[in-house]
């Protein structure tokens, strides 16, 4: 899912990427890469609060893995 979402982001298919990243996070809510990619997707949509929330979740996931 992450590879496909990354391809979607590169091709400016942001909504498709968001759906894939949400599915990935439903499988593993501590997936650092999925949170950072989702933050980037929200940034592209100018959804700043959602982007910040995902970056915060990425840091929390990183801390949990340490």
């Amino acid at each position: 899912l992450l590879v496909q979402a990354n391809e979607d982001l590169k091709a400016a298919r942001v909504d498709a990427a968001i759906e894939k990243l949400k599915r990935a996070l439903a499988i593993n809510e501590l997936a650092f890469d999925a949170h950072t990619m989702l933050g980037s997707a929200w940034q592209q949509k100018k959804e700043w609060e959602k982007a910040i929330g995902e970056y915060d979740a990425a840091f929390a996931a990183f801390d949990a893995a340490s």
Side-chain angles (χ1 to χ4, degrees):
L1 286 172
L2 294 182
V3 171
Q4 294 169 341
N6 191 41
E7 291 171 3
D8 286 337
L9 286 174
K10 288 180 182 177
R13 296 186 300 263
V14 180
D15 290 331
I18 289 170
E19 290 308 312
K20 288 177 180 76
L21 293 165
K22 286 180 177 180
R23 286 185 7 226
L25 288 167
I27 295 166
N28 179 7
E29 67 185 25
L30 296 178
F32 175 83
D33 291 343
H35 282 295
T36 57
M37 290 171 65
L38 188 51
S40 176
W42 288 125
Q43 256 187 292
Q44 289 182 39
K45 291 182 67 84
K46 297 183 178 12
E47 294 277 354
W48 310 120
E49 293 298 320
K50 290 179 181 179
I52 290 168
E54 289 304 325
Y55 293 133
D56 286 343
F59 284 117
F62 182 80
D63 285 342
S66 298

